[in-house]
Amino acid sequence: MNGWWLIASLVAQVPAPQTPAQPAARPATLVIHGEVSALAVGYPKQDDTRELRSRALLDVTAEPVPWLRLRLEGTAEVLWADRSGSADDAVASVRDAWAEVRLNDVEVRAGYGRLVWGRLDEVMPSDVINPIDTATFFLEGRAAARLPVAFIRSRVFLPHDTTLETVVALPGRRGRFDRLDEGTSPFNVTRDLVLPAGLPAGREIQRESIPVALGSLQGGVRASTTAGRVDLSVSAWRGFEGFGLLSFVPGGQLVERYPRFTMIAADAEAVRGGWAIRGEAAAFIDKTLAGPLGPAKGKAVDAGVGVDRAAGDYHIFGSLVWHREWSSLSSSYTRDHLNVIASIDRRFSRERYLVRVFGVANPEDRSGFVRGLVSWSLRDNLMLEGSGGVFIGQGTDTIGRFTDRDFVSLRVRYHF
């Protein structure tokens, strides 16, 4: 997908300057909230690993005039840990910083932040705009794990509940195993690499970063509409892999590259009674796979169906996501598996207590991950959370790579 074409399609959607439509007068608004938390984590299968992760978050949203919205969300995180030796780190970052203008039926948002595509819960095949932080994904979930990118997004609101969305994003943000001292993190699976004989241990990985240039832009389009009682979307995206692929180059250097991929996707959602029924499929028609002999060109498909229901104090969801990948160069390399994802929430005592269980299983590889959470609202703005996660099996899929990373945690959250 040509970078110039993406920019041209985006600009073409923006109308010529004009006086903004005058909606019913309403006052300017400013909403400020934040959170301070401390998370203690232990790893039962790694006796020498203990962590204390502290975080402060500030979120500011402002609407100075009816047609303009501003958002700023920033975090500061600190780590004190024993990871086979003392480890500490600190990072301050912006998770959202954008301005959004809406004139008549066109909305343009530009800045830095997170954008979500797809409809399934937690495992979303077409949610590819933002890379993720693996440690946060397992400790807190996908919503908290998305890493921001610089982007411009336009949306045109057409008749019959139809929306056309265009996104252009800069490259340069890679997925992380852990934002805090990644090199020593229990979730950094590159520490488990077994190097070929004769190569020195501890050799650093050389990362080939993606240049910030016009030819390296990422981008795509998404069209959404409603047909009867079914919400439908189709999308296409051309971008870079969030996690790099490792390969050896002459001389024994281990190199990590971030290849491009092309995705075409579709999703749908309908409500029947108290049930929400969702389907989503993504075809990666140009993709580089981590084959048995190193990176290889190929294709992949992820497709799933799920249900969601809230009934009284209970909320449940479940989905099945099938993955298949194959090499374009060798008919001998084909791999597929089915993931079963489910969650159940139960609230007690006027929502002061919450119990949640979330799980992912790959029956073929006999691997899985289960996370449990119990939270207690001590006051309206003070919460205590206990959580634990268990990795099951020794499979070769993504989950199986995190065996021996079982964890237990205790978090205190203060909201303001």
Side-chain angles (χ1 to χ4, degrees):
M1 184 177 292
N2 186 279
W4 286 111
W5 179 87
L6 287 170
I7 292 178
S9 66
L10 180 65
V11 172
Q13 297 178 20
V14 181
Q18 57 180 296
T19 302
Q22 299 298 320
R26 67 175 186 265
T29 61
L30 177 65
V31 179
I32 301 175
H33 73 265
E35 173 189 302
V36 178
S37 67
L39 173 68
V41 189
Y43 299 85
K45 294 183 179 180
Q46 300 183 23
D47 295 335
D48 56 355
T49 303
R50 292 169 291 275
E51 303 175 338
L52 177 62
R53 299 169 179 254
S54 299
R55 179 171 65 202
L57 178 149
L58 182 65
D59 187 353
V60 180
T61 303
E63 291 191 23
V65 290
W67 50 270
L68 175 64
R69 187 156 67 112
L70 307 173
R71 172 82 183 277
L72 175 64
E73 180 180 325
T75 65
E77 300 178 67
V78 180
L79 169 74
W80 296 276
D82 180 2
R83 295 172 171 175
S84 301
S86 178
D88 58 77
D89 197 9
V91 59
S93 61
V94 173
R95 298 208 295 189
D96 283 291
W98 45 258
E100 182 178 272
V101 175
R102 181 164 182 175
L103 303 175
N104 299 323
D105 294 324
V106 176
E107 176 185 277
V108 178
R109 179 184 296 183
Y112 192 64
R114 298 159 293 170
L115 299 171
V116 181
W117 283 5
R119 296 186 191 269
L120 294 181
D121 293 287
E122 286 297 312
V123 179
M124 305 160 69
S126 60
D127 187 25
V128 296
I129 298 177
N130 299 95
I132 67 167
D133 170 10
T134 302
T136 304
F137 177 80
F138 286 120
L139 294 173
E140 301 184 56
R142 190 182 190 95
R146 291 186 183 93
L147 297 173
V149 295
F151 69 90
I152 301 176
R153 183 189 76 178
S154 72
R155 293 198 296 181
V156 178
F157 301 95
L158 304 171
H160 309 296
D161 296 321
T162 299
T163 303
L164 180 63
E165 176 180 2
T166 303
V167 179
V168 177
L170 288 177
R173 168 69 76 170
R174 67 178 179 89
R176 303 295 296 265
F177 294 113
D178 199 331
R179 296 176 71 241
L180 294 168
D181 200 2
E182 184 175 48
T184 64
S185 174
F187 294 99
N188 186 351
V189 294
T190 62
R191 297 169 60 197
D192 302 335
L193 288 175
V194 178
L195 299 178
L199 291 180
R203 180 181 289 263
E204 291 189 1
I205 298 172
Q206 176 183 324
R207 290 191 172 94
E208 293 191 353
S209 59
I210 305 166
V212 179
L214 185 63
S216 300
L217 287 176
Q218 306 178 94
V221 295
R222 187 170 192 248
S224 305
T225 191
T226 299
R229 298 184 178 181
V230 180
D231 296 327
L232 304 166
S233 294
V234 293
S235 57
W237 180 262
R238 176 72 170 166
F240 291 93
E241 297 286 356
F243 284 97
L245 298 180
L246 298 175
S247 60
F248 284 99
V249 298
Q253 179 64 54
L254 190 59
V255 177
E256 185 175 46
R257 297 184 173 92
Y258 301 87
R260 275 194 180 272
F261 69 92
T262 302
M263 178 199 76
I264 298 174
D267 56 74
E269 179 177 1
V271 176
R272 293 291 182 269
W275 293 91
I277 305 168
R278 302 184 177 99
E280 184 174 346
F284 296 86
I285 59 176
D286 177 20
K287 187 176 179 67
T288 303
L289 309 174
L293 301 178
K297 296 300 291 183
K299 303 179 187 299
V301 174
D302 289 289
V305 61
V307 294
D308 187 303
R309 179 180 174 86
D313 295 327
Y314 286 91
H315 176 233
I316 62 173
F317 83 76
S319 58
L320 300 174
V321 179
W322 173 68
H323 172 81
R324 181 179 178 85
E325 61 183 49
W326 63 97
S327 171
S328 302
L329 304 177
S330 173
S331 59
S332 62
Y333 177 71
T334 301
R335 195 165 67 179
D336 63 279
H337 63 258
L338 180 70
N339 282 331
V340 182
I341 304 103
S343 174
I344 182 169
D345 297 1
R346 173 71 162 92
R347 297 185 180 274
F348 301 88
S349 187
R350 299 180 181 179
E351 300 193 354
R352 289 188 61 200
Y353 302 95
L354 169 67
V355 176
R356 173 179 298 145
V357 178
F358 167 80
V360 181
N362 180 342
E364 183 176 349
D365 271 4
R366 297 182 179 179
S367 63
F369 170 68
V370 179
R371 182 178 67 229
L373 170 73
V374 178
S375 68
W376 175 22
S377 296
L378 303 172
R379 298 188 313 189
D380 288 344
N381 60 350
L382 183 62
M383 183 174 293
L384 182 66
E385 298 177 349
S387 183
V390 177
F391 295 88
I392 302 167
Q394 303 284 335
T396 59
D397 65 345
T398 301
I399 297 173
R401 299 172 66 191
F402 292 95
T403 185
D404 297 332
R405 269 75 169 186
D406 299 352
F407 63 85
V408 292
S409 67
L410 182 66
R411 185 197 301 269
V412 179
R413 295 179 185 265
Y414 174 74
H415 301 270
F416 60 89

